[in-house]
Amino acid sequence: MLKRALLGATALALLAGSASAADLANRYPVKAAPIPVQVFSWTGFYIGGNVGWGWADNTYDFTPFGSPYSYSYSPGSSNGFIGGFQLGYNYQFANNVVIGAEADFDWSDIGSSTIAVGGPLTGGEISQNIDYFGTIRARLGFAMDRFLPYITGGAAWAKQNFSDFYGATYDDTKWGWTAGAGVEYAITNNWTVKAEYLYLGFDKNSATDFYGDTYSVGSNISTAKLGVNYKF
């Protein structure tokens, strides 16, 4: 009786081992879990440079000495090369909204001369120039992975000078406002490129010439720039 029981237990063990071996033979290899793709983040400090073109919308009002009337002139727009640098910081939220702050500085070759009426004679030459300018702005954008469209606005300043044939001069730094928009693209995790448009608005400057004539001169600036940034 004991012998039969031992034989039965041995047979069951052999059958179980055979079934496990068959299961192992029929199992397929398990695929490794996919590695998650890292999404680009715009958060961080950056510094870079830019080049572009600028246009100044020049206007002036001329008031002859002792006259209660003023005369408005529009010598048109002047344009020229601009170039400089920028630095800033971005922070990207979980919903892909990006906020940031940026300051930039650009040298300018924007200048013009025109023939205008002034003093007791006619044909006096008026010159208006933008030597350099800069902005301090907030930025608001929406990140689509490595692509970032944004709007921007804040304060602007510009070194403006004006002179006429009769001795009226103005040479000072003027503060105003700016607004614009742009797009930026990350070509690597550290390097980005951007295109940007800004409008800079300023109040008019006043100057008086040798004959007591008064000029009120305005120069508002539009810029189109291409830039590159290095993100830390």
Side-chain angles (χ1 to χ4, degrees):
M1 186 73 178
L2 181 60
K3 185 176 180 180
R4 288 182 179 180
L6 290 173
L7 289 173
T10 302
L12 288 173
L14 290 173
L15 288 173
S18 299
S20 298
D23 288 341
L24 289 172
N26 292 330
R27 287 179 184 173
Y28 294 99
V30 178
K31 292 183 178 180
I35 300 175
V37 178
Q38 184 178 3
V39 178
F40 179 80
S41 173
W42 288 90
T43 297
F45 289 96
Y46 62 88
I47 188 170
N50 69 81
V51 293
W53 202 255
W55 299 262
D57 181 19
N58 301 312
T59 61
Y60 62 89
D61 301 324
F62 167 63
T63 304
F65 173 70
S67 173
Y69 304 104
S70 63
Y71 305 91
S72 296
Y73 295 87
S74 179
S77 63
S78 55
N79 57 80
F81 174 82
I82 58 175
F85 60 88
Q86 67 274 342
L87 55 87
Y89 178 81
N90 289 319
Y91 182 82
Q92 181 172 338
F93 292 93
N95 60 359
N96 293 331
V97 171
V98 177
I99 62 172
E102 181 174 295
D104 60 10
F105 174 89
D106 284 276
W107 289 274
S108 166
D109 190 32
I110 303 173
S112 70
S113 296
T114 186
I115 302 300
V117 176
L121 305 174
T122 60
E125 185 177 71
I126 288 177
S127 297
Q128 294 170 257
N129 299 281
I130 309 295
D131 296 330
Y132 47 83
F133 62 90
T135 67
I136 303 170
R137 295 175 282 111
R139 301 204 315 170
L140 175 64
F142 184 81
M144 292 175 275
D145 194 13
R146 293 178 176 269
F147 183 68
L148 178 67
Y150 63 88
I151 57 176
T152 183
W157 58 273
K159 176 66 162 52
Q160 303 180 9
N161 64 73
F162 156 82
S163 63
D164 83 329
F165 183 78
Y166 305 103
T169 61
Y170 178 92
D171 189 1
D172 204 353
T173 299
K174 193 74 174 178
W175 282 88
W177 60 274
T178 183
V183 291
E184 193 165 358
Y185 181 76
I187 54 179
T188 71
N189 286 338
N190 297 105
W191 290 99
T192 70
V193 293
K194 71 171 186 175
E196 182 178 78
Y197 168 82
L198 293 177
Y199 180 85
L200 289 70
F202 301 96
D203 292 333
K204 290 185 176 181
N205 308 314
S206 294
T208 302
D209 66 17
F210 175 79
Y211 298 101
D213 305 316
T214 300
Y215 292 86
S216 182
V217 183
S219 293
N220 297 320
I221 308 170
S222 295
T223 67
K225 299 190 287 187
L226 297 175
V228 60
N229 288 324
Y230 180 83
K231 186 174 81 71
F232 297 95

